[in-house]
Structures are given as structure tokens and as C-alpha cells.
Amino acid sequence: MGTIKWLQILDPLRHVFEKLGVDYEVMRKILEIKLLMDGRRAPTINPKANKNADVASQSNQFIKSLVIYVILSIVLVPFVVMKLNYMFQMSLVFGILMFMVTTSLISDFSSVMLDIRDRNILFSRPIHRKTINMAKLLHVIIYLLLLTGALTVIPLVVSLFRQGVLFFLLFLVEIILMDIFIVALTAALYWLVLRFFDGEKLKDIINYVQIALTIAITVGYQFISRLFQLADLDIGFTAKWWQIFIFPTWFASPFEWLMGGSGNTYVVIFSILSFLGPLLALWIYFLLMPSFERNLQKLASHQARGKTGRFRLQDKLAAILCRENTEKLFFRFGWDMMGRERDFKLKVYPQLGFSIIFPFIFMFNMLGSKGGFAEMRTGNGFLFLYFCALMIPTMIMMLKFSGNHKGAWIYQTVPLKDAAPVYKGTLKAMLARLFAPIFVLQSIIFTVIFGVRIIPGLIAILLSVLLYTVLSFMVLEKGLPFSQPFQNTQSGNGFVILGLMLLLGVFAGAHFGFTLLPYGEYLWMLLLLVLNFFGWELAFR
């Protein structure tokens, strides 16, 4: 096993850790082992992992993926360079940073924060809990600092030359405080969930919280640009009390206060909060940590699920949606795996938040630009419902991965003539379990808003999504369901998924075009029925 030499940067802080009651040598060794083990984990943004990677080298795919974050950071440079309105430009910068860091924390590092695999090894040893807790906290913070470092290295260098030393130092400090704030806030949220729920329900609630967090971050990000008034190339900002809940404004306020010369009371309060808020959150984090660790034990319990009656929804749906017995079998198999596979849920369920919120975000934008709810509900705004299928390519791509992939030997032992029923049954299970509840709920809301006149349109959207699903399956790289480890997630699909997302816009545009023709919507439905028939017949051959 190799060593991680750069951990020596922690050595000067040895006395600080020891004063906090931490056994520094043991903590560093635990941290080193955790980082070495992470070499087997693949991040979400660049899930490339070479199947033939040299395991002995213990290379960490996350470190390699930072190159992509560095490229993405170029987006932030124009906001750092401009000198129009510090509140405006830095609110956008911190809004983008908080969005990317928090979504990465939810999808990539929730499993680290909620990791209980080392408890059986470490808790039976004479190691103080403070040492174990500090190792876990540093484990998460190191990754987030690397991630935000990659995201901000170019903007930081540019800001040093363009805005000066004060701006650079302020930017650097605020980035560190932002990371601390995000970790502490997320941990506090998980603590609340762990505190009040038990057993299997707890695991489900964690997934729901991740979806809610994704929605909250996406909606919050939308609010940022609406805080400002743009008129005659001049950007105005009027501080209000409720903006205290828009956290990026906290971290942008010190720039407006110290460099923009603003003496607004709210700007000063937000600036103070940007320093005190993260420190207070960190203090609360340390207070809650013992309780957090105790409650983590609940995740280790394998409480039996309640007795299921004779009625099983998946059986009924399989009988309705599948024709062959093998297809029905793998429908039920896929349904159960998507409901019980914890790693799969941690990776995929947060993505569902985007499918839930995006149609409403687009509709909300249209409401503002058209100038009235009455005018909007008579138009074709319901076509934004197409965007609830935005995550389908990602979900299809993730179907072949599992934390229990070694069970894939079952495919070699069962008498399968071909894999078509396996793929078809699992895809139908995905649509029924993950997509259908979202679509039904959104269809009800859209029908209330736009009226019953859109029901034919909703049927056409559903047919379009079914065709879109099978087209996505044909284009994406294939693999038997739940048969590969997450480390082997393929990266070559990144641009393909982007293209498929654009294809969804093509479907919506075609639908709108047909509505301009007499009985056009029904012609569109007929065409989709025919294409679906041939698509679902030919795609699996």
C-alpha cells in the first residue's frame, strides 16, 4: 500500500488537533487509508474509470477529474473581470459555486458522510471518537477544497491581476468559508433526518431529502438573477430582509461593502453573516457530531420491511406492461433493485429533482416574460412538460451499475436465449418506478393550470417520452442491468447525453409545429404511435 505524502501539510497543525483531543498520528493514518480507498471510487461529473487501470498505483479518479472542473471555471472569469456591480457579479459567482459544490456533495460525498463500513473496524479499537470524527470531517473537506480549488484557480489568478490583492484575499477567504458552511449545513440536515427516523424508512427519507435539496438549490439559483434590476446597461440592487435566505448574497456582500463602498445596513449584516455564519455552523457541527455518529448506527440496522400483502404493484404492472414471462421477471427484478439498491439510489435519486423542477422553472420564466397568468394558460406552455424527461438518458446509463454487481453471475446461469427481455423489462420498470410518478403528478398540476384542453397534448408527450427512451437506449452504450461496479461508469457517454437532451427539445419543437396544423396534435400522436411500435420492436434485436 502506498502513502500520501501531501498529507504532510497537516503536520504544522498537529498541536491544534491535539488540543482538540484528537490523536493526530491515528487520525492521519485513518485519513490516509480513506484517501487510498477512494482510488476505487468514480465521481459523478467525470465518471471515467479505466477498467484496465493499474490497481497497484491506487490512482484516484476524482483527482484526475479536476481537470474538467478547471475548464469549467473559465465560465466564472467574465464575472470576476467586470467592474459593474460587485454585488451582482459575485452573487452569480458564488451562486454557481454553491450550486456545483452542493450538488457534488450530495451525489458524490453523501456516501462518505453516511459511511458506516469502518465502524466495525475502528469502534472496536482503542481510538477516541473525536479522532474518528475529525478524520471523517477532514476527508470530506479535503475533497471539497480540491473541487472548489479546481473551480476557482483560474478566476482567483485573474482576480489578482484585474481587481487587486484585497479582492483576491477576500475571494480566497470567502471560498473557504463557503465550503465549511456547505459541509456543516448538509451534515446538520442529515442529522435531523437521522434523529427522527429509523430503519428502512430512514434510508428512504435520505433519498427524499437529496431530491428536495436538489430542487431547493436549483430554485435558489434561479432567484439570484432576479435580485437585480437591469436598465440602460445599469445594474441595480435593492437589499431586502428576505434575501438573508439567499446564501450567495452573504458571500458577495463583503465585496460590495469593502470594495464597492456600500454602507447599506443589509449589506453590512450579510457581510458579517458571511464570516460568522460558517463559523457558527462549524461549531454546531462539532456539537452535533457525537449524536450524528450514534444515529448513523441506524443505517447499519437491517430492519425487515413490513409484511407485504398479496397485492404487489410491480406484479400487476408487469402483467399489464410486459408480454413474455422473462420480461415480466426482469421487470420485477429491476423494480426491486431500483427500490433497494442504496448506492444506485444515492447516485440516481438526486437527479430526479431536476426532472421535477425544470418544467416549472421554464414555465415560471414564461410567466414573467408574457406578462400574465391568464395569457400564459391559454398558450402552449404545457409543452415544457417535455423537460421532465431530461434525466432519462442519465438514468438509462446508470441502470447497468450496482454496488452488488458481483451478483451478475446470475445472467450466466439462467437459461436466457437472448438479452432483449432483460433490457426491455428493466427499461419498463425504470419508466414505471422513476418516471411515471413524476409525470402523473406534473400532468395533474399542468391540467389544473392549463385546463382539460391539454389532455391530448399530455398523451402526445407521454408517447414522445416512450420513443425518446428507446432512442436513448439505442444510442447509449449497453450493459446488462446492475452488472458493473460504479467505478466502471463510462465517460464516453457525456457528449451523447448532452445530444440526447437537445433531442428532447426537438421533440417539443415538433409537437409545437404540429399544433399549428388542423388536427395536428392527433397527427403527431398517430405518428408517435407508429414510431413507438417499430422502435420498441427493433431496438432490442
Side-chain angles (χ1 to χ4, degrees):
M1 184 177 69
T3 57
I4 300 177
K5 295 187 183 301
W6 58 264
L7 280 180
Q8 291 174 357
I9 60 174
L10 293 175
D11 290 350
L13 300 173
R14 180 189 188 113
H15 295 297
V16 177
F17 288 118
E18 288 176 347
K19 282 185 179 177
L20 292 172
V22 174
D23 186 332
Y24 177 74
E25 290 295 336
V26 175
M27 182 206 73
R28 191 177 147 180
K29 181 56 69 179
I30 295 172
L31 188 57
E32 186 173 353
I33 293 171
K34 283 177 176 287
L35 292 170
L36 286 171
M37 292 293 289
D38 287 343
R40 302 173 185 175
R41 187 167 60 84
T44 296
I45 190 167
N46 179 26
K48 180 176 183 177
N50 189 347
K51 292 178 182 177
N52 301 316
D54 180 9
V55 177
S57 68
Q58 299 291 334
S59 61
N60 192 319
Q61 297 298 326
F62 176 80
I63 303 296
K64 295 176 181 175
S65 74
L66 293 180
V67 177
I68 293 182
Y69 286 105
V70 173
I71 296 171
L72 288 175
S73 71
I74 296 172
V75 175
L76 300 176
V77 171
F79 300 111
V80 175
V81 169
M82 65 173 68
K83 291 185 177 180
L84 289 175
N85 184 310
Y86 286 113
M87 196 70 185
F88 169 73
Q89 59 199 70
M90 295 314 291
S91 289
L92 286 175
V93 167
F94 281 102
I96 293 170
L97 285 176
M98 292 188 81
F99 178 81
M100 297 196 69
V101 173
T102 310
T103 50
S104 183
L105 179 67
I106 295 168
S107 60
D108 277 346
F109 301 116
S110 286
S111 55
V112 177
M113 296 181 74
L114 303 173
D115 190 7
I116 54 174
R117 288 172 296 184
D118 55 3
R119 295 171 67 87
N120 293 335
I121 301 171
L122 297 178
F123 280 25
S124 59
R125 276 20 178 213
I127 304 173
H128 199 281
R129 298 292 172 85
K130 283 185 179 178
T131 303
I132 300 172
N133 294 339
M134 185 58 77
K136 175 177 279 190
L137 176 63
L138 287 177
H139 187 202
V140 176
I141 286 183
I142 283 172
Y143 274 116
L144 283 193
L145 286 177
L146 287 172
L147 189 151
T148 46
L151 272 173
T152 55
V153 61
I154 295 178
L156 273 169
V157 172
V158 172
S159 71
L160 179 62
F161 291 100
R162 171 67 175 167
Q163 304 279 8
V165 177
L166 177 61
F167 187 99
F168 171 81
L169 293 175
L170 201 55
F171 195 14
L172 185 63
V173 171
E174 292 292 325
I175 287 168
I176 295 171
L177 290 171
M178 180 196 72
D179 272 354
I180 293 173
F181 185 67
I182 289 173
V183 172
L185 205 64
T186 308
L189 196 60
Y190 282 137
W191 173 82
L192 272 177
V193 177
L194 290 166
R195 176 76 176 77
F196 294 105
F197 295 95
D198 293 307
E200 292 299 324
K201 185 181 289 185
L202 169 63
K203 297 169 186 175
D204 293 336
I205 291 291
I206 286 174
N207 292 127
Y208 299 145
V209 167
Q210 288 179 319
I211 294 173
L213 262 179
T214 307
I215 293 173
I217 295 164
T218 311
V219 172
Y221 179 68
Q222 294 295 317
F223 269 104
I224 294 173
S225 60
R226 290 175 171 79
L227 299 177
F228 303 90
Q229 302 86 40
L230 182 63
D232 298 330
L233 297 178
D234 188 29
I235 300 170
F237 172 75
T238 306
K240 304 281 178 53
W241 68 267
W242 53 267
Q243 289 161 0
I244 198 171
F245 300 108
I246 311 295
F247 298 129
T249 59
W250 290 15
F251 299 98
S253 292
F255 296 90
E256 183 68 18
W257 182 25
L258 299 177
M259 300 198 65
S262 173
N264 184 285
T265 305
Y266 286 117
V267 171
V268 175
I269 292 173
F270 294 162
S271 300
I272 295 171
L273 282 175
S274 74
F275 289 95
L276 293 184
L279 298 178
L280 181 64
L282 187 64
W283 178 67
I284 294 172
Y285 174 85
F286 279 118
L287 285 181
L288 296 179
M289 203 59 189
S291 172
F292 183 83
E293 287 296 324
R294 279 197 305 275
N295 288 316
L296 265 183
Q297 185 61 36
K298 293 178 181 177
L299 286 172
S301 66
H302 297 285
Q303 179 183 330
R305 291 176 182 268
K307 289 184 178 178
T308 54
R310 291 182 178 179
F311 177 82
R312 280 167 48 91
L313 180 60
Q314 56 267 47
D315 294 341
K316 300 296 179 187
L317 289 174
I320 295 170
L321 300 174
C322 305
R323 286 183 296 182
E324 302 175 23
N325 286 332
T326 310
E327 191 180 321
K328 292 176 185 175
L329 174 68
F330 280 96
F331 180 96
R332 294 192 292 268
F333 169 71
W335 179 285
D336 290 340
M337 286 295 289
M338 281 181 263
R340 296 176 184 175
E341 166 82 43
R342 187 168 168 233
D343 288 340
F344 178 85
K345 290 161 75 173
L346 284 173
K347 294 279 184 185
V348 173
Y349 276 38
Q351 307 284 330
L352 298 179
F354 293 116
S355 289
I356 293 171
I357 197 63
F358 269 132
F360 296 104
I361 286 178
F362 287 120
M363 191 172 68
F364 183 75
N365 289 332
M366 182 182 175
L367 183 65
S369 61
K370 292 294 179 182
F373 176 75
E375 185 177 343
M376 183 202 72
R377 68 195 302 266
T378 59
N380 291 314
F382 68 91
L383 294 178
F384 289 123
L385 197 53
Y386 271 95
F387 292 101
C388 72
L390 207 59
M391 292 301 122
I392 279 183
T394 305
M395 289 192 287
I396 292 175
M397 186 188 74
M398 298 301 291
L399 274 179
K400 57 179 175 285
F401 302 110
S402 169
N404 300 307
H405 60 93
K406 292 180 180 177
W409 57 266
I410 193 73
Y411 293 116
Q412 306 299 323
T413 57
V414 294
L416 285 174
K417 293 180 181 177
D418 63 80
V422 179
Y423 290 124
K424 198 183 283 189
T426 312
L427 267 187
K428 289 179 179 177
M430 181 205 75
L431 288 170
R433 173 136 202 163
L434 301 180
F435 172 74
I438 295 173
F439 181 77
V440 170
L441 177 65
Q442 291 179 335
S443 295
I444 292 171
I445 296 172
F446 272 59
T447 303
V448 171
I449 295 172
F450 292 94
V452 294
R453 69 179 178 88
I454 68 167
I455 289 178
L458 296 178
I459 296 171
I461 292 172
L462 179 59
L463 291 171
S464 298
V465 171
L466 293 177
L467 182 60
Y468 178 66
T469 301
V470 79
L471 288 175
S472 299
F473 171 78
M474 293 169 72
V475 172
L476 290 167
E477 190 170 338
K478 296 170 186 57
L480 287 168
F482 312 106
S483 63
Q484 300 177 23
F486 284 106
Q487 291 92 328
N488 285 354
T489 310
Q490 301 298 314
S491 67
N493 287 320
F495 289 106
V496 178
I497 287 177
L498 183 62
L500 286 169
M501 288 180 176
L502 296 176
L503 177 64
L504 201 59
V506 174
F507 271 101
H511 188 156
F512 175 74
F514 272 92
T515 60
L516 301 177
L517 303 173
Y519 303 103
E521 208 156 44
Y522 296 98
L523 288 173
W524 178 234
M525 288 167 59
L526 183 62
L527 178 62
L528 288 170
L529 271 174
V530 174
L531 291 175
N532 266 296
F533 175 79
F534 287 107
W536 282 85
E537 283 296 321
L538 300 175
F540 303 96
R541 292 185 178 178

